Amino acid sequence: MLNITHNRLNKIIDLSSYKSGKNVMHKRYYKYFNRFLLTAAIIILIVLFLPWTQNISGNGLVTTLKPNHRPQTIQSQIPGRIEEWFVQEGDYVEKGDTILRISEIKSDYFDDRLVERTNDQIIAKSSSVTAYGGKVEALNRQISALKNEQKLKMEQTRNKLLQSKLKVKSDSIDLEAATTNLKIAETQFNRIKTLQEEGLKAVKDVEEKRLKLQETQAKYISQENKYLASQNEVINAQLELSRIMASYADKISKAQSDMFTAQSSQFDTKAQVTKLENAKTNYERRNSLLYVTAPQNGYINKALTGGIGVTFKEGEKLVGIMPAQYDLAVETFVRPIDLPLMHIGEKVRVQFDGWPAIVFSGWPNVSYGTYGAKVVAIENFISDNGKYRVLLAPDESDHQWPEAIRVGSGARTIALLEDVPIWFELWRQINSFPPNYYQPQSKTSASKTDKK
């Protein structure tokens, strides 16, 4: 057959003697075959110039448009022990309905009267705050009284000092008068003595003048002592004034120190009261957490932690719940090379798992069983699967999505781009080129308007 041997069968055997050989080697066969090839070439050529819509396809899952509509698990904020279940799987619950009751497993909260005892402590500490407040007020009154008494004592001592100064002044005048009298008495005595020596006066007169001189000297000394005593009284009054100031300053300082100590104790007790009130609120809140309730209306999916007497940690998943009301959406994933071609508000076709559909990705008009959607969010960070997440919402202008679709089912998406010939698309696919850079018409027109 490959003519690699010198024993050629076509030279030995006549193929035209066979029926199939006659049909193949007949001239009409070549004529029909050429017509078939020509027709096929014309059809392929025409098909190559047919329009083809470039698209971005991806696989995803049905989800919800809002995060609070998605399936969630209910956890307990505190560790505990399951005591009683009030629901079963598949039950419908409303917001605030009790799902299960738990009990404490920490010894710090075993006391059933913990809140009541804490409240008693708050009352006692509040009374201490009131008592310290009364003590502060009493010390304030004491300080005011000491200041008033100090003021009066200072005024009294200043008056005494002024009297002492006036007395010094008076005694100094008397001392000057006594000095003058002493000089006069000395002059008279000397004159009388001279006259007696000359024989003009008697000894008796001299003795009288000497006696008067001595009396004057005694009065002078007495007056001088009075003057010195008056000066000493001024000094004593000044010392008394300083002593009163120091004494009352010490008393007032001691009372103020006691007042500040009482205020410090009052503030510390207030802080303890606030801490106890915080603890009481936490205990009350913790008691309310002993009943796990539904955060919203929905259906109980699965009890993740079942049984009675089972202990769990805080934040551990207890039961799953599916919200009763939700808005469907589809999350799909696109390749990084296709991400610049996706835009908010762009139209996308969606095929759901379990719903029959015939999809022609390049000819969306002949696709059957797909539903309209639009892009509402594009993730800016790549996902774990190496693609970017795109969130799709139902297109109100298209057919309504099937009501029987459930969250979590699979979906296949097709985002439509520009129309190009089929030959261009084949050439692009063979060379692994990305689709043409695509901008929605609305954005393009808006940019042109801005430029104008």
Side-chain angles (χ1 to χ4, degrees), residues 215-231:
E215 290 178 353
T216 304
Q217 288 177 344
K219 290 181 179 179
Y220 173 79
I221 293 172
S222 175
Q223 192 61 41
E224 187 177 11
N225 289 333
K226 288 181 179 180
Y227 176 69
L228 294 176
S230 299
Q231 288 182 335

Side-chain angles (χ1 to χ4, degrees), residues 5-136:
T5 178
H6 297 288
N7 299 323
R8 298 180 179 180
L9 295 178
N10 60 341
K11 300 292 185 179
I12 301 174
I13 300 174
D14 186 10
L15 297 177
S16 61
S17 59
Y18 297 96
K19 184 177 180 180
S20 60
K22 291 179 181 180
N23 293 331
V24 171
M25 295 178 181
H26 198 276
K27 292 183 178 181
R28 287 183 301 175
Y29 172 80
Y30 293 103
K31 185 177 180 181
Y32 295 150
F33 185 69
N34 290 336
R35 289 178 181 177
F36 171 76
L37 291 178
L38 180 60
T39 303
I42 293 173
I43 293 174
I44 292 175
L45 183 62
I46 294 174
V47 170
L48 288 178
F49 284 92
L50 290 177
W52 179 274
T53 302
Q54 292 182 331
N55 58 83
I56 299 172
S57 61
N59 295 320
L61 297 173
V62 178
T63 181
T64 59
L65 188 60
K66 297 180 180 179
N68 60 321
H69 289 170
R70 294 171 187 171
Q72 66 180 88
T73 57
I74 300 176
Q75 301 88 15
S76 175
Q77 300 180 26
I78 59 174
R81 177 176 181 267
I82 298 177
E83 296 293 340
E84 185 179 2
W85 285 89
F86 296 96
V87 296
Q88 63 182 9
E89 295 178 352
D91 284 352
Y92 173 78
V93 294
E94 295 184 354
K95 183 178 180 180
D97 287 350
T98 302
I99 297 177
L100 71 154
R101 180 174 63 88
I102 64 177
S103 61
E104 291 284 358
I105 60 175
K106 289 188 175 181
S107 58
D108 296 339
Y109 308 101
F110 281 168
D111 188 2
D112 294 335
R113 300 179 58 192
L114 184 60
V115 176
E116 183 180 352
R117 298 181 196 279
T118 305
N119 188 52
D120 293 340
Q121 295 179 16
I122 293 174
I123 294 174
K125 287 294 182 179
S126 299
S127 301
S128 297
V129 172
T130 304
Y132 281 121
K135 184 176 181 180
V136 170

Side-chain angles (χ1 to χ4, degrees), residues 237-274:
Q238 291 176 343
L239 292 176
E240 181 67 15
L241 186 63
S242 300
R243 187 192 67 79
I244 290 174
M245 292 178 63
S247 175
Y248 279 93
D250 181 66
K251 292 179 180 180
I252 293 174
S253 298
K254 186 176 183 303
Q256 289 178 340
S257 177
D258 294 339
M259 183 188 68
F260 293 145
T261 302
Q263 285 181 338
S264 177
S265 301
Q266 184 183 18
F267 295 148
D268 183 66
T269 309
K270 281 185 178 180
Q272 295 179 11
V273 170
T274 304

Side-chain angles (χ1 to χ4, degrees), residues 361-425:
S361 60
W363 293 306
N365 294 330
V366 298
S367 296
Y368 177 76
T370 60
Y371 297 88
K374 60 181 179 181
V375 178
V376 295
I378 301 175
E379 199 171 58
N380 294 323
F381 188 76
I382 198 166
S383 302
D384 295 335
N385 58 4
K387 297 182 179 181
Y388 286 89
R389 178 176 174 269
V390 178
L391 188 63
L392 310 176
D395 188 1
E396 296 84 357
S397 61
D398 206 313
H399 296 290
Q400 186 177 1
W401 289 8
E403 296 180 358
I405 293 178
R406 293 292 180 264
V407 176
S409 61
R412 187 172 181 269
T413 59
I414 302 173
L416 305 178
L417 305 178
E418 288 185 347
D419 292 336
V420 297
I422 291 181
W423 67 266
F424 181 83
E425 181 68 14

